[in-house]
Amino acid sequence: MVSTIRLYTESEYQEKAQHFEAVLSSRGVEVSIEVIEKLNARFLRLHPELALCVDADGLWLCANGMKMQPDWQAEVGRLKRASLKSEMIARACNLGEKPTLIDATAGLGHDSLLMAHLGAQVTLVERHPILFTLLEDSHHRAQKDAFLSSVVKRIHLVFSDSTDYLKSQAEQNAVVDVVYLDPMFPQRDQNQQAPKKQAQVKKQMQLLHLLLPEDGEMDLGDNLLELAQKIGKRVVVKRPRLAVFLAGKEPNHQWSGDACRFDAYFQHELVT
């Protein structure tokens, strides 16, 4: 887990940078603020190490000349086109019933945003302090967006390890309609049937790979399935289309598309 990180900003955003410094410090990350003259593409290329930056558009993760944030505003076009009929995830998660839903593998929150837009009440769980702070900033900025403000009211962020959170919910005998799992980095052998030619990884995922290394830190999701089944009437797992089943467990039902599929596990004793 990243415990120290540099944060670049210009003088006019220094107060905002200090806010993020305090927030991240409370979450165990030591931040070193560096005020620079101009935060632009050239500066980022000349400073390729993993860092944070703050500008008029909020908090960003940057490295290798790139920067990214969970840009929920950029998802508005997709949300406006989405419907319960057109989105496979809507059928898999039964979003027409406006379920209570735990997204235990937050990522950039784009799936949660879509599911909330289509009616779900979403609890978004993320354990990494930097990624959680990026999500929190996106959530805050979305509250000021005319279109997104009503959507993000249905998203509740929880800073927690998903394993710990699901265990605590089970201990409280909590029951939710859906637990959604989308492990960010499936094990390499889970893609062994996939075509050799892979699409170039998007910038966002490149930077997340730097922040969240596959080896050692990342929970690949297998242990979450059993925990999710203890509290979810339905557990939905997003997988690459040809990947093996999560934890080797065959689902009760599948929805498959060109690039991915959704495996659903129904807890019959919990389903009314």
Side-chain angles (χ1 to χ4, degrees):
M1 187 78 72
V2 175
S3 58
T4 61
I5 195 164
R6 190 178 299 277
L7 188 157
Y8 299 111
T9 193
E10 297 173 10
S11 58
E12 63 181 304
Y13 307 116
Q14 187 171 358
E15 185 175 341
K16 187 186 295 187
Q18 290 169 340
H19 162 75
F20 287 117
E21 177 189 27
V23 169
L24 285 163
S25 176
S26 72
R27 294 168 181 164
V29 180
E30 182 181 338
V31 176
S32 174
I33 296 177
E34 185 171 328
V35 179
I36 61 173
E37 184 177 344
K38 191 67 176 176
L39 182 60
N40 54 22
R42 182 176 183 275
F43 177 86
L44 294 176
R45 287 194 301 271
L46 294 173
H47 297 78
E49 71 281 1
L50 186 69
L52 296 170
C53 58
V54 171
D55 62 15
D57 296 318
L59 183 68
W60 300 78
L61 184 69
C62 54
N64 299 330
M66 302 179 291
K67 66 176 186 176
M68 80 87 183
Q69 60 183 182
D71 189 354
W72 289 3
Q73 277 90 351
E75 295 293 301
V76 168
R78 180 193 178 194
L79 299 185
K80 289 182 176 179
R81 294 189 300 270
S83 69
L84 293 172
K85 290 184 178 180
S86 67
E87 295 289 341
M88 191 163 53
I89 195 173
R91 300 191 292 276
C93 294
N94 199 25
L95 298 183
E97 296 299 316
K98 301 187 183 304
T100 54
L101 184 149
I102 295 173
D103 183 347
T105 49
L108 297 175
H110 293 165
D111 282 348
S112 280
L113 191 66
L114 175 62
M115 292 187 287
H117 171 65
L118 293 175
Q121 293 286 338
V122 180
T123 297
L124 187 60
V125 184
E126 175 53 51
R127 73 178 182 180
H128 195 288
I130 293 176
L131 182 52
F132 182 83
T133 305
L134 287 163
L135 287 166
E136 190 176 54
D137 184 44
S138 290
H139 187 274
H140 177 71
R141 286 182 288 106
Q143 292 173 6
K144 302 175 184 178
D145 183 278
F147 180 83
L148 291 175
S149 59
S150 61
V151 177
V152 297
K153 285 180 181 178
R154 294 192 288 274
I155 298 178
H156 173 58
L157 299 176
V158 173
F159 178 43
S160 174
D161 181 273
S162 292
T163 298
D164 295 339
Y165 183 76
L166 293 175
K167 283 180 179 177
S168 72
Q169 293 299 297
E171 290 169 358
Q172 297 171 40
N173 297 315
V175 175
V176 296
D177 296 316
V178 182
V179 178
Y180 180 73
L181 303 175
D182 178 15
M184 191 174 296
F185 307 129
Q187 292 100 320
R188 290 186 178 90
D189 62 355
Q190 290 181 336
N191 288 304
Q192 60 188 356
Q193 304 174 62
K196 291 183 180 179
K197 186 177 181 180
Q198 300 291 337
Q200 185 179 8
V201 180
K202 293 182 179 180
K203 286 182 181 180
Q204 290 178 329
M205 293 307 296
Q206 289 181 40
L207 291 180
L208 283 181
H209 272 265
L210 293 174
L211 182 66
L212 311 170
E214 291 184 59
D215 298 326
E217 291 186 16
M218 284 306 301
D219 188 337
L220 296 171
D222 280 359
N223 70 310
L224 295 178
L225 181 57
E226 182 178 355
L227 292 171
Q229 288 181 296
K230 292 180 179 180
I231 65 170
K233 297 178 182 179
R234 173 185 300 221
V235 179
V236 175
V237 183
K238 184 178 182 180
R239 308 296 287 153
R241 185 172 66 89
L242 298 176
V244 299
F245 302 130
L246 190 64
K249 187 168 183 179
E250 186 172 353
N252 299 111
H253 194 75
Q254 284 186 326
W255 290 263
S256 294
D258 293 336
C260 71
R261 69 171 198 266
F262 295 93
D263 297 343
Y265 302 83
F266 305 129
Q267 314 316 313
H268 300 291
E269 69 274 13
L270 297 178
V271 177
T272 56

